[in-house]
Amino acid sequence: MLGTLKSQVVDLLKISGIDFPGLPGPIEAPKRPGHGHLALPVFVLAKEKKKAPPLVAQELAAQLASRASEFGIDKVEALAGFVNFHFSPRVVQDLLVETLKSEAGRFAFSSRGAGKTMVIDFSSPNVAKPMHVGHLRATVIGQSIVNLAKSQGYKVIGLNHLGDWGVQFGNLAWAYQNWGSEYPFVEKPFESLFQLYVRFHQAAETDADLARKGAETFVKLENGDPEITKIWKMVVEISLKEYSKLWGLLGVQHDLVRGESFYNDRLRDVEQRLEDKGLLVESDGAMVVRLDDEGMAPCLIRKTDGASLYATRDLASAIYRREDLKADLNLYVVGAEQTLHFRQVFSVLKRLGYSWWETCHHVSFGMYRFKDIGKMSSRKGNVILLDDVLSKAISMVKEIIEQKNPSLQDKEKVAEQVGVGAIIFNDLMNDRVKNVDFDWERILDFEGDSGPYVQYCAVRCQSLIKKYNRPIATKMKVDLTTLEESELIRSMLSFSDTVSTAFDHFKPHLVATHLLEICRLFNHFYSKHRILGEEEGLVESRMVLVAATQQVLSQGLGLLNIQVPEAM
Ligand code: ARG
């Protein structure tokens, strides 16, 4: 939306005979209220002219003032090192109405990704282990980046790089063969699997021989032993079925499941490519790629017993994504603890001579911090399961509904939308690289910075629209000029820029925090001004504002993969 206003500023500069470098690049939306709709920082120009930025800003503002009104600009103002542009209410209102008409129900904020493919690897759990809250991040951050990319016109391939290969499947198969009959696999397949997993690791702590047996069993699996392969297949099936429940609840969908095992018959080719480039060297019987010159540990390609490794499969999968899936952008949404791993993999790709290594990004994130539970480990079994967290959120919301609004329709559905939405929003409102505090009170605080707060605001707009019960005007009848109205409009106009920046940095929290700002501004407007029951033209104009707010909020929540209930 702001693009239109930006080009007005560019035209004004041009017609005023000012040659400003890099336009429209530097033009931005000011963060502070009262600073107009757009701001042009003059620091670069000031440096060129060897003058103080405030002076340059003043000179520029004076030069631009005379013809500003031709471009719908009411005021050009110098403020420190910036020139600020205030557009007339009429111009911004028309823009809002236009957007409201053209973008109805669509996420298509931009088409700049048209013709490009983004592959994104997200929520890729390790088979046989329940997803814990750590996977929540990889899931919700990933899905929202999927949505953001689609909103920018990209073709997106969401990939599940399921952890379905590696020595732990030797362990598991061995455990199943020896202890499996003790567990209720028919009634509780997934729980049984996980118990086997925990038991093996506990037993291996005191019995050093178990690790060897597990490793041997894995080599058998790698060699295609039919008995072991059958167990492995069962393990994968049971797990995927379990995960699908949670993905369903979170509204997550992968386009392709490409587990680690998928790359088995591509690993030789990877080794061959490494050999051809003279990158593969022996180290204590294992094959590695040395990365000393970058101060990194070597990347392990093949173990002494011939088994492949996580990194080997990631090399194969990167090549697959580029060569087979034609990825222009290849993202890995994985926790910060795997930073070294991805640096190693990307470095090996670079050494292989693949310039596209630069299109690969590790989209990393921090951990959850709970008040009294330390770092979680699924080996020991003391984990906070994603399933439990989501069910608890839903049942807490149910209780709140029973207390506050017991006659609400579709209570179950609303509780699910609000409970799940609360968990997702709490995650996505934080810059992903930081740790996230997990605090039930804040997560479900309908008045604080929370998912329910934003959902509630959208619902409030919806019910106003329902009450109004007429088509929304396609032109503002009366100019909306109060501070509350102008600020709300200003914030909404820059929303699509936020979406685009959020995609550039793979940071959904920019969208989440912008939505919070819009809600705050809307509530402010709503508390200060009457909407229905005012004189005719004013009601119509204000309803345009309400409809626009509703639309931005529901599209924004949609980008975060959060639903808006009908009522709440
Ligand atoms: N399965 C891994 C884990 O849970 C994440 C996989 C991420 N993707 C990748 N291509 N390595 O830690």
Side-chain angles (χ1 to χ4, degrees), residues 103 107-114 149-154 496 500:
E103 284 186 1
F107 290 142
F109 293 99
S110 159
S111 54
R112 64 185 169 132
K150 286 185 180 165
S151 82
Q152 302 301 297
Y154 279 82
S496 54
S500 135

Side-chain angles (χ1 to χ4, degrees), residues 182-194:
E182 297 169 36
Y183 295 85
F185 263 86
V186 178
E187 301 83 32
K188 296 185 166 171
F190 192 73
E191 283 89 334
S192 304
L193 208 55
F194 183 51

Side-chain angles (χ1 to χ4, degrees), residues 400-411:
I400 298 175
I401 295 177
E402 286 307 337
Q403 277 170 16
K404 293 195 177 164
N405 194 359
S407 58
L408 184 73
Q409 289 206 325
D410 275 335
K411 276 190 267 193

Side-chain angles (χ1 to χ4, degrees), residues 121-122 124-126 129 135 161-163 260 310 314 317 321 332-334 337-338 341-342:
D121 167 341
F122 72 108
S124 303
N126 294 325
K129 288 195 276 184
H135 293 110
H161 190 85
L162 192 66
E260 294 187 37
Y310 186 50
D314 256 334
S317 92
R321 293 170 197 197
Y332 299 82
V333 185
V334 185
E337 63 282 357
Q338 293 192 27
H341 165 74
F342 286 108

Side-chain angles (χ1 to χ4, degrees), residues 12 14 17 29 65 70 81 91 114 135 161 218 244 254 262 267 271 474 494 498 502 549 559:
L12 170 62
K14 208 183 282 164
E70 291 170 40
V91 168
H135 293 110
H161 190 85
F218 179 54
S244 298
H254 288 104
F262 174 80
L267 301 177
E271 287 192 17
T474 50
S494 63
T498 298
T549 308
L559 289 171

Side-chain angles (χ1 to χ4, degrees), residues 82-384:
F82 294 84
V83 179
N84 293 343
F85 300 87
H86 300 253
F87 282 82
S88 82
R90 175 58 45 184
V91 168
V92 290
Q93 284 168 187
D94 286 351
L95 197 55
L96 196 69
V97 175
E98 274 316 301
T99 314
L100 192 58
K101 280 193 282 187
S102 67
E103 284 186 1
R106 293 189 295 127
F107 290 142
F109 293 99
S110 159
S111 54
R112 64 185 169 132
K116 288 190 228 157
T117 299
M118 180 183 93
V119 173
I120 178 168
D121 167 341
F122 72 108
S123 185
S124 303
N126 294 325
V127 160
K129 288 195 276 184
M131 282 204 260
H132 54 73
V133 287
H135 293 110
L136 181 60
R137 305 223 68 195
T139 307
V140 301
I141 294 171
Q143 182 64 47
S144 74
I145 295 174
V146 166
N147 300 343
L148 286 170
K150 286 185 180 165
S151 82
Q152 302 301 297
Y154 279 82
K155 173 185 166 197
V156 178
I157 303 178
L159 216 72
N160 177 3
H161 190 85
L162 192 66
D164 65 356
W165 209 250
V167 73
Q168 66 271 29
F169 295 95
N171 299 342
L172 212 52
W174 186 90
Y176 184 79
Q177 283 187 314
N178 288 273
W179 305 323
S181 59
E182 297 169 36
Y183 295 85
F185 263 86
V186 178
E187 301 83 32
K188 296 185 166 171
F190 192 73
E191 283 89 334
S192 304
L193 208 55
F194 183 51
Q195 275 164 19
L196 272 186
Y197 176 87
V198 173
R199 174 164 167 189
F200 184 92
H201 282 280
Q202 272 163 357
E205 273 172 24
T206 50
D207 182 355
D209 213 31
L210 274 189
R212 190 187 51 81
K213 287 176 182 157
E216 271 174 19
T217 315
F218 179 54
V219 174
K220 279 194 199 167
L221 180 61
E222 286 219 296
N223 293 331
D225 178 296
E227 181 61 24
I228 308 293
T229 304
K230 214 173 114 192
I231 299 174
W232 170 78
K233 274 199 178 132
M234 172 198 76
V235 170
V236 172
E237 243 165 62
I238 292 176
S239 307
L240 272 180
K241 206 165 166 195
E242 180 74 12
Y243 303 145
S244 298
K245 288 189 227 159
L246 290 174
W247 285 325
L249 201 52
L250 290 165
V252 162
Q253 237 172 352
H254 288 104
D255 300 294
L256 289 175
V257 182
R258 289 286 177 265
E260 294 187 37
S261 64
F262 174 80
Y263 301 99
N264 285 344
D265 53 13
R266 294 170 178 252
L267 301 177
R268 278 256 112 246
D269 172 59
V270 172
E271 287 192 17
Q272 193 59 53
R273 294 181 193 220
L274 292 168
E275 247 165 52
D276 292 347
K277 288 268 174 190
L279 292 169
L280 208 55
V281 296
E282 210 215 280
S283 167
D284 293 331
M287 298 308 281
V288 307
V289 177
R290 294 209 159 283
L291 306 170
D292 309 323
D293 55 350
E294 285 183 83
M296 281 190 279
C299 184
L300 269 160
I301 303 295
R302 191 189 336 130
K303 285 203 274 191
T304 328
D305 64 6
S308 66
L309 287 121
Y310 186 50
T312 328
R313 296 188 283 275
D314 256 334
L315 286 169
S317 92
I319 294 170
Y320 167 76
R321 293 170 197 197
R322 177 65 187 194
E323 294 182 358
D324 296 53
L325 300 181
K326 312 283 181 229
D328 296 295
L329 205 52
N330 175 18
L331 308 189
Y332 299 82
V333 185
V334 185
E337 63 282 357
Q338 293 192 27
T339 301
L340 176 62
H341 165 74
F342 286 108
R343 280 185 57 214
Q344 290 174 315
V345 169
F346 299 164
S347 170
V348 173
L349 294 173
K350 179 166 76 177
R351 285 161 205 262
L352 278 167
Y354 302 144
S355 60
W356 51 263
W357 76 275
E358 287 184 283
T359 63
C360 303
H361 300 271
H362 173 205
V363 179
S364 96
F365 52 80
M367 287 188 298
Y368 267 105
R369 261 192 322 224
F370 291 83
K371 273 184 184 151
D372 35 28
I373 300 157
K375 214 184 142 190
M376 296 168 292
S377 153
S378 55
R379 294 254 155 103
K380 302 245 166 61
N382 61 342
V383 288
I384 299 180

